[in-house]
């Protein structure tokens, strides 16, 4: 026992050595830029290529300006709007498909192929998808317009790219289309992680499919559902690629998300780095809060698993000790 | 009991299959339109944008693309250099950091892991302005390095590797290597890394695709079109010079999508399994 402890101390330094590259890279490329961005929020930094700045006499001016900026407020509303319109159908469809795919009585065939198809849009470059859908919703000639006209739904081609009412929903639809497969796969793996004995017990008790799903599957999926919700919210708050490439926040700021707003403030027009930094930090605070929820959630799960493993280990040890008459210590 | 409700099950199955087939069609249909229209000319597409019959203007469309701002070869080359290097860095240093967390008993081990979990969810793009100014100051804009080197610190990668190692790295093996006189660093490179191959492959696919698809940071840092990555090339297709070149735009899109199609369909089994492991992000 003594010998082993001495050994682990002598090797402990390698734990530090091997973490150095990660820590150094993190400090330089993640922590420093974060602090830098936070600081810039209190300065007058602006102008392309201008890296000289002074701290403002009124440190919170940028934050006040941003919070009272109509475009920023609109961008936050847009972001939430697009996220909600995409997330609700996404989680409902993913849950429905999860119920079908994991139901022992339906035994859906070709699940592997379906999963591959549903997940496909998620892996394709979002910028390419944005351009593809821009072409599909093209005006006056685009497949969607062609279809709508052939089916007699509209008389004349719809100018989607100038239509404020539909732009947000088109972006939300693309987000939905890209992400429901991912959500479904996560949920299915969550269901497969539930103790099968619970399902067996339910079957013996004569529970119907619907009962099993609502009374057993859903409550046991709580943690995973929360994980999906929080990660999707964080991703949604950063929604950038589709609205930027497809409509550049337009038409008439209808798809101006928080990230597109920040980008356009900082890297276009008059290059208002300071103001964009203040906006970044406001979004950052929200994301940190969400991450915190996630972190507490996952830490508990991890610790719970470790405790379980330790208990199992102790049980086995006890058994071994009993069977070998205390020889194994 | 099963027989009694089997007719209900048949109807249920028909509905389930129909919905699944429709969704599968929805996934693939936009790409089918893309593949067909890349062979058609502008007048053909203007006549009927939706057609399931390929035409013969593939070469013409290639010629239209030639010499314009969109350059798939340059985009592919740049993206490949960045993504491949970033992936290698992520894999090696994630594994090394995870190894430090698993194989050694050091004082800061727990706090360090807690820290990694805490920062895992924070997206890099939110602090993009500070990162840009930092890079601008040291003259690193229009350089690939700022898009590659930060991949050394990938908290999600470390987390994933640690979970895998926790389950499958036999610590006795390290002890045996020590007895044989192997240096710790040698043990990691020659014994631990090869054992991690399945996890490295899974993590590698996701790290590569994430880096390949990235738009925000490359857009901020790369301003010269000679340095454009594939997603930056793609967004040029929104430009006015492509306004009426319908077939050529679809062809250009195909060029950007095809490499991912090949990767996806040849590795789909691993990718789906990787997604199911959850939390795997580049």
């Amino acid at each position: 026992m003594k010998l082993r402890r001495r050994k682990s101390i002598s090797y402990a330094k390698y734990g530090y050595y091997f973490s150095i590259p990660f820590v150094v890279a993190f400090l330089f490329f993640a922590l420093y830029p974060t602090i830098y961005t936070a600081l810039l929020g209190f300065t007058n930094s602006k102008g392309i290529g201008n890296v000289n700045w002074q701290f403002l006499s009124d440190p919170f001016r940028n934050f006040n300006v941003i919070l009272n900026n109509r475009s920023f407020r609109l961008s936050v509303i847009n972001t939430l709007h697009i996220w909600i319109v995409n997330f609700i159908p996404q989680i409902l469809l993913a849950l429905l498909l999860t119920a079908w795919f994991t139901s022992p009585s339906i035994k859906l065939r070709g699940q592997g192929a379906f999963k591959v198809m549903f997940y496909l849009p998620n892996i394709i470059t979002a910028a390419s998808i944005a351009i593809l859908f821009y072409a599909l919703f093209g005006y006056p000639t685009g497949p969607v317009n062609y279809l709508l006209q052939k089916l007699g739904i509209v008389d004349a081609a719809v100018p989607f790219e100038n239509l404020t009412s539909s732009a947000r929903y088109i972006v939300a639809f693309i987000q939905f289309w890209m992400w429901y497969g991912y959500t479904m796969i996560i949920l299915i793996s969550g269901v497969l992680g539930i103790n099968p004995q619970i399902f067996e017990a339910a079957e013996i008790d004569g529970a119907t499919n619907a009962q099993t799903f609502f009374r057993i599957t859903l409550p046991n999926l709580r943690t995973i559902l929360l994980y999906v919700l929080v990660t999707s919210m964080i991703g949604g708050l950063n929604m950038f690629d589709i609205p930027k490439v497809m409509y550049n926040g337009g038409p008439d700021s209808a798809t101006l998300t928080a990230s597109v707003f920040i980008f356009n403030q900082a890297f276009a027009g008059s290059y208002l780095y300071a103001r964009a930094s203040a906006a970044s930090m406001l979004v950052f605070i929200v994301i940190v809060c969400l991450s915190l929820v996630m972190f507490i959630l996952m830490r508990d799960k991890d610790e719970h698993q470790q405790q379980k493993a330790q208990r199992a280990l102790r049980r086995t040890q006890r058994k071994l000790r009993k069977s070998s008459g205390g020889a194994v210590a | 009991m099963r027989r009694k409700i089997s007719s209900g099950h048949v109807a249920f199955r028909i509905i389930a299959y129909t919905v699944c087939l429709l969704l599968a069609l929805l996934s693939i249909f936009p790409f089918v339109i893309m593949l067909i229209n890349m062979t058609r000319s502008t007048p053909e597409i203007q006549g009927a944008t939706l057609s399931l019959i390929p035409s013969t203007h593939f070469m013409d469309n290639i010629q239209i693309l030639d010499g314009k701002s969109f350059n798939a070869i340059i985009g592919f080359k740049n993206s490949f250099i960045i993504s491949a290097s970033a992936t290698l860095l992520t894999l090696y240093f994630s594994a090394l950091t995870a190894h430090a967390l698993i194989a050694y008993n050091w004082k800061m081990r727990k706090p360090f892991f807690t820290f990694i979990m805490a920062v895992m969810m924070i997206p890099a793009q939110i602090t993009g302005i500070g990162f840009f100014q930092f890079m601008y100051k040291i003259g690193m804009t229009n350089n690939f390095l700022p898009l590659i080197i930060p991949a050394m610190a990938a908290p999600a990668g470390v987390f994933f590797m640690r979970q895998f190692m926790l389950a499958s790295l036999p610590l006795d093996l390290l002890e045996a290597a020590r007895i044989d006189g192997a240096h710790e660093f040698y043990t990691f490179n020659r014994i631990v890394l090869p054992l991690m191959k399945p996890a490295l492959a899974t993590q590698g696919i996701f790290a590569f695709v994430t880096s390949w698809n990235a738009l925000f940071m490359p857009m901020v840092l790369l301003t010269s079109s000679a340095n454009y990555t594939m997603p930056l090339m793609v967004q040029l297709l929104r430009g006015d010079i492509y306004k009426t070149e319908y077939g050529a735009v679809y062809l250009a899109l195909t060029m950007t999508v095809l490499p991912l199609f090949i990767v996806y369909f040849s590795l789909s089994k691993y990718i789906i399994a990787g997604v199911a492991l959850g939390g795997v992000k580049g």
Side-chain angles (χ1 to χ4, degrees), chain A residues 7 11 26 36-37 45 49 106 109 116-117 123 125 128 141 146-147 177 189 227 238 246 259 273 284, chain B residues 12-13 17 26-27 49-50 115 123 125-126 130 133 136-137 175 178 184 213 238 246 256 260 264 276 279:
Chain A
K7 220 181 208 170
Y11 284 106
F26 186 86
Y36 202 175
T37 310
S45 169
I106 302 179
R109 282 205 203 150
V116 170
M117 296 308 280
I123 209 134
T125 316
S128 299
T141 42
Y146 181 80
L147 211 68
W177 180 73
S189 85
Y227 168 83
N238 279 300
M246 195 167 176
S259 278
Y273 298 123
F284 184 75
Chain B
F12 208 70
R13 267 195 189 166
Y17 278 118
L26 189 67
S27 280
T49 21
L50 213 57
F115 170 77
Q125 89 179 41
I126 210 71
Q133 289 225 347
Y136 193 89
K137 264 189 180 164
E175 205 62 43
R178 265 170 216 160
E184 294 299 306
N213 289 343
R238 249 313 237 108
Y246 299 111
T256 71
L260 287 164
Y264 183 61

Side-chain angles (χ1 to χ4, degrees), chain A residues 122-140:
Chain A
N122 196 272
I123 209 134
I124 306 297
T125 316
S128 299
I129 295 213
I131 296 288
L132 178 58
F133 274 81
Y134 180 73
L136 294 180
F137 282 94
Y139 172 81

Side-chain angles (χ1 to χ4, degrees), chain A residues 185-205:
Chain A
I185 294 171
I186 297 276
L187 292 181
I188 288 177
S189 85
V191 173
L192 296 180
I194 300 171
N195 187 348
Q197 283 176 344
I198 305 177
F199 289 112
E200 277 162 33
E203 207 187 322
I204 291 166
D205 288 346

Side-chain angles (χ1 to χ4, degrees), chain A residues 79-306:
Chain A
T79 311
L80 290 176
H81 188 168
I82 295 173
W83 179 74
I84 290 170
V85 171
N86 119 69
F87 187 73
I88 292 174
Q90 179 190 322
I91 195 80
L92 290 179
L93 180 64
L95 275 172
L96 178 73
L97 292 171
T98 304
W100 287 351
F101 277 38
T102 54
S103 160
S105 53
I106 302 179
K107 282 204 187 79
L108 218 60
R109 282 205 203 150
Q111 286 197 14
F114 282 133
K115 278 185 199 171
V116 170
M117 296 308 280
F118 298 169
Y119 185 69
L120 169 72
N122 196 272
I123 209 134
I124 306 297
T125 316
S128 299
I129 295 213
I131 296 288
L132 178 58
F133 274 81
Y134 180 73
L136 294 180
F137 282 94
Y139 172 81
T141 42
V144 174
N145 262 321
Y146 181 80
L147 211 68
L148 288 177
Q149 280 170 304
K150 278 275 151 115
L151 294 173
I153 297 170
V154 294
D155 299 326
V158 185
F160 285 107
E161 58 184 299
N162 298 325
L163 214 62
T164 27
S165 52
S166 66
R168 234 175 263 152
Y169 295 99
I170 292 174
V171 172
F173 171 76
I174 299 172
Q175 294 285 344
F176 159 82
W177 180 73
M178 284 180 79
W179 286 97
Y180 79 88
Y182 168 85
T183 306
M184 179 196 83
I185 294 171
I186 297 276
L187 292 181
I188 288 177
S189 85
V191 173
L192 296 180
I194 300 171
N195 187 348
Q197 283 176 344
I198 305 177
F199 289 112
E200 277 162 33
E203 207 187 322
I204 291 166
D205 288 346
T208 63
N209 272 335
Q211 277 174 329
T212 312
F213 183 73
F214 285 107
R215 299 283 173 81
I216 294 167
T217 314
L218 268 189
N220 277 298
L221 274 183
R222 240 184 355 228
T223 316
I224 304 243
L225 283 172
L226 203 59
Y227 168 83
V228 168
L229 178 77
V230 174
T231 47
S232 170
M233 271 176 100
I234 293 175
L237 280 171
N238 279 300
M239 199 187 307
F240 177 76
D241 298 17
I242 302 281
K244 173 74 185 166
V245 176
M246 195 167 176
Y247 292 131
N248 196 11
D252 199 21
S253 298
T255 61
L256 185 79
T257 61
S259 278
V260 176
F261 173 84
I262 290 168
F263 183 93
N264 287 349
Q265 288 276 308
F267 303 108
S270 36
Y271 294 83
L272 302 168
Y273 298 123
R275 227 177 257 182
S277 297
S280 283
M281 279 303 120
L282 291 173
V283 179
F284 184 75
I285 290 166
V286 178
I287 289 177
V288 167
C289 293
L290 287 172
S291 295
L292 216 62
V293 173
M294 197 65 241
F295 166 70
I296 291 165
L297 197 83
M298 284 179 75
R299 188 196 55 189
D300 287 351
K301 201 177 136 205
D302 203 58
E303 259 171 27
H304 184 68
Q305 271 172 356
Q306 274 177 359

Side-chain angles (χ1 to χ4, degrees), chain A residues 60-89:
Chain A
F60 290 102
R61 201 177 74 203
N62 288 324
F63 292 91
N64 282 332
V65 168
I66 280 296
L67 283 172
N68 291 314
N69 184 308
R70 272 186 62 200
S71 283
F72 181 69
R73 284 183 176 184
L74 181 68
S75 78
V76 172
I77 293 169
N78 282 342
T79 311
L80 290 176
H81 188 168
I82 295 173
W83 179 74
I84 290 170
V85 171
N86 119 69
F87 187 73
I88 292 174

Side-chain angles (χ1 to χ4, degrees), chain B residues 65-181:
Chain B
L65 282 182
D66 190 40
K68 284 208 176 68
S69 51
F70 174 89
N71 191 323
I73 294 166
I74 289 180
F76 188 91
K77 198 192 79 198
N78 292 339
S79 278
F80 192 82
I81 294 171
I82 293 171
S83 303
S85 322
T87 304
L88 287 178
L89 284 182
T90 295
L91 290 182
Y92 188 79
F93 289 103
S94 294
L96 186 67
T97 315
H99 182 68
L101 283 167
I102 293 289
Y104 306 101
N105 223 331
W106 39 301
K107 232 184 185 171
M108 295 297 284
R109 172 157 92 157
K110 265 210 159 155
F112 184 50
F113 181 61
T114 308
F115 170 77
I116 284 178
M117 291 230 311
V119 297
M120 201 162 67
M121 291 293 173
I122 295 171
Q125 89 179 41
I126 210 71
T127 57
I129 299 160
F131 189 71
F132 166 76
Q133 289 225 347
F134 176 29
M135 289 304 130
Y136 193 89
K137 264 189 180 164
I138 59 173
M140 276 295 188
T141 52
N142 271 316
N143 193 314
F144 293 165
L145 289 178
L147 297 168
I148 295 171
I149 310 286
M152 276 172 73
V158 177
F159 181 78
F160 177 72
M161 287 294 172
R162 178 190 173 270
Q163 298 307 89
F164 186 86
M165 278 192 184
L166 209 55
S168 64
L169 183 71
L171 292 178
D172 296 350
L173 208 63
L174 305 179
E175 205 62 43
R178 265 170 216 160
I179 291 165
D180 288 346

